């Protein structure tokens, strides 16, 4: 904020690096605390009636800076006809959608498209995030939802907890989380929640 004076380019870069590292530490600490809640059986849900578009909007806002940094273009697919509302803990499900979108940005090449949307599936609502990145080898599709698992050869830093927590949060609502992906074609993560 320049209260102490102007910084040179190297100081600006270092300050940015410190901020990124502390944000990442905060994120990992938050993930570990969430996982502790799950393991202790103390996962409390505070459900309320929520529109799926609110969850999507929250995730996009939370990832705006990151998307700009990677020049990712986020497209929203939302049908004209009404999508049923959900009775969910909006904080937890918004966290899941935010995590899926963050993953998509990290695993996409610069200037690529990412699609986030919702659609009705009989008595359920599907919220999905689709990227056109490197994709995930089918033999790892089950493992990626396990704690601390990271796809071999992945350069992106992370705790390996995000998808495991997402699975716990979604299943606590009676929903499911899944992935469709192949190498070179990108990935589509979907959460299916009772409407």
């Amino acid at each position: 904020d320049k209260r102490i004076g102007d910084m040179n380019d190297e100081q600006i870069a270092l300050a940015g690096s410190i901020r990124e590292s502390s944000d990442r530490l905060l994120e990992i600490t938050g993930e570990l605390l969430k996982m502790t809640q799950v393991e202790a059986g103390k996962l409390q849900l505070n459900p309320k009636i929520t529109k799926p578009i609110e969850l999507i909007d929250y995730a996009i806002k939370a990832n705006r800076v990151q998307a700009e940094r990677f020049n990712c273009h986020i497209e929203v697919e939302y049908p004209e006809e009404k999508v049923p509302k959900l009775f969910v803990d909006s904080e937890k499900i918004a966290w899941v959608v935010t995590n899926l979108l963050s993953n998509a940005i990290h695993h996409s090449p610069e200037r690529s498209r990412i699609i986030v949307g919702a659609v009705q599936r009989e008595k359920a609502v599907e919220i999905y995030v689709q990227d056109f990145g490197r994709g995930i080898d089918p033999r790892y599709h089950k493992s990626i939802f396990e704690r601390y698992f990271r796809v071999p050869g992945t350069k992106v830093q992370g705790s390996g907890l995000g998808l495991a927590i997402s699975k716990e949060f979604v299943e606590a609502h009676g929903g499911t989380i899944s992935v469709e992906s192949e190498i070179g074609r990108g990935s589509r993560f979907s959460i299916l929640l009772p409407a």
Side-chain angles (χ1 to χ4, degrees):
D1 60 6
K2 298 184 179 176
R3 272 179 296 181
I4 306 163
D6 288 331
M7 294 194 294
N8 64 38
D9 289 347
E10 190 180 1
Q11 289 168 323
I12 289 168
L14 286 168
S17 179
I18 291 166
R19 168 176 265 174
E20 277 179 28
S21 295
S22 55
D23 284 349
R24 193 158 48 243
L25 272 175
L26 199 59
E27 207 173 287
I28 290 169
T29 308
E31 287 180 348
L32 287 168
L33 287 169
K34 284 183 177 71
M35 194 42 95
T36 306
Q37 275 186 332
V38 168
E39 286 171 342
K42 290 184 176 161
L43 187 60
Q44 289 183 317
L45 299 179
N46 301 306
K48 61 178 190 186
I49 292 169
T50 309
K51 291 177 183 169
I53 195 69
E54 291 169 351
L55 302 168
I56 290 169
D57 283 344
Y58 178 92
I60 291 171
K61 283 191 186 102
N63 282 293
R64 189 175 52 81
V65 173
Q66 199 176 300
E68 283 170 5
R69 191 191 317 153
F70 290 98
N71 289 318
C72 285
H73 179 63
I74 298 169
E75 297 172 21
V76 177
E77 284 184 348
Y78 207 75
E80 301 250 324
E81 66 274 11
K82 271 191 171 179
V83 176
K85 290 179 181 149
L86 299 165
F87 188 61
V88 293
D89 185 323
S90 56
E91 201 176 283
K92 289 185 174 62
I93 299 301
W95 187 91
V96 173
V97 183
T98 301
N99 182 60
L100 294 178
L101 189 53
S102 172
N103 286 351
I105 293 166
H106 274 115
H107 293 280
S108 292
E110 278 206 43
R111 287 183 288 283
S112 60
R113 294 163 61 220
I114 292 168
I115 300 166
V116 56
V119 66
Q120 185 172 354
R121 300 266 181 233
E122 293 175 8
K123 291 183 179 175
V125 172
E126 178 191 0
I127 299 174
Y128 55 89
V129 176
Q130 182 171 354
D131 68 61
F132 300 91
R134 57 183 287 193
I136 303 161
D137 190 316
R139 62 193 156 145
Y140 301 127
H141 286 188
K142 279 207 172 81
S143 309
I144 55 172
F145 296 104
E146 291 169 12
R147 292 167 204 184
Y148 306 109
F149 179 83
R150 298 184 63 217
V151 174
T154 304
K155 292 187 178 76
V156 178
Q157 287 184 314
S159 63
L161 281 172
L163 287 174
I165 294 168
S166 296
K167 185 173 188 279
E168 297 280 0
F169 280 4
V170 171
E171 289 180 353
H173 286 85
T176 57
I177 185 167
S178 60
V179 63
E180 292 169 36
S181 182
E182 54 182 286
I183 298 292
R185 291 278 182 93
S187 306
R188 187 183 198 273
F189 281 85
S190 303
I191 58 174
L192 200 64
L193 294 159

